[in-house]
Every structure is written in C-alpha cells, then in structure tokens.
Amino acid sequence: MEKIHKQILVKGKVQGVYFRASTKHTADDLGITGEVRNLPDGNVLITAEGKEKEMEAFIAWCRQGPPFAKVTELIITVAPLRDYKAFDVVH
C-alpha cells in the first residue's frame, strides 16, 4: 500500500496543552512521518505522510488530541508526497 500525504489544520484550544509533543508520540507509534508546528493564530498545522490505515487512525486521534486540548475543527487537504524520513516538532 502506498503512502499518502495529508495537511491537517487543527483548530481549537490546541496550544499550551502539549499538542505538538503528543502528536509526535502518536505519529511515531503509528509510523507516520512529517511535522507539526504552532501557527501564530493559535492553531496547529500538521503535515503527515503514511499508509491509509495508519493515517485514518492518526486523523481520528487528531480529532481529540491530548487530554487538555479542545479540538473544534479539522481541515484536511491532500498534497503531493514530500518523502519525510521522520516526524518532527517544528519550534
């Protein structure tokens, strides 16, 4: 099964709640590569690549996030593969 690439914009209370660190942990567990970063507007942007089944599980996790997050919306777009080697937190 081939890799797919998704860009996931996570809206809500998602900064200051360990969202990026938790995202990395979840991505690593699922074999997802890419990166996660905070945006100036308070949202989080995730660029993720992986196989479809793992990506579905990752997106399902993103809908909830870590315990203190309050995700209100996900905006998911498909983009060309970038062939990430790991999953990184961008500071």
Side-chain angles (χ1 to χ4, degrees):
M1 196 172 228
E2 290 201 19
K3 279 184 165 184
I4 55 175
H5 178 107
K6 302 274 185 166
Q7 186 168 318
I8 307 162
L9 179 62
V10 187
K11 295 186 172 196
K13 184 182 179 206
V14 293
Q15 289 190 17
V17 294
Y18 298 102
F19 201 97
R20 289 179 301 163
S22 299
T23 301
K24 176 174 174 37
H25 180 76
T26 302
D28 289 346
D29 284 351
L30 292 170
I32 300 291
T33 58
E35 61 186 32
V36 59
R37 71 178 67 226
N38 283 341
L39 297 176
D41 63 4
N43 297 318
V44 169
L45 180 64
I46 303 167
T47 304
E49 294 183 349
K51 295 181 180 173
E52 190 168 345
K53 182 178 177 185
E54 288 79 6
M55 188 67 74
E56 287 174 9
F58 183 68
I59 290 170
W61 180 87
C62 290
R63 292 188 192 286
Q64 299 298 315
F68 295 106
K70 185 174 187 332
V71 177
T72 58
E73 183 180 8
L74 287 187
I75 299 173
I76 303 168
T77 55
V78 178
L81 286 174
R82 292 188 181 168
D83 199 29
Y84 289 98
K85 302 299 181 204
F87 194 93
D88 297 312
V89 175
V90 177
H91 296 280

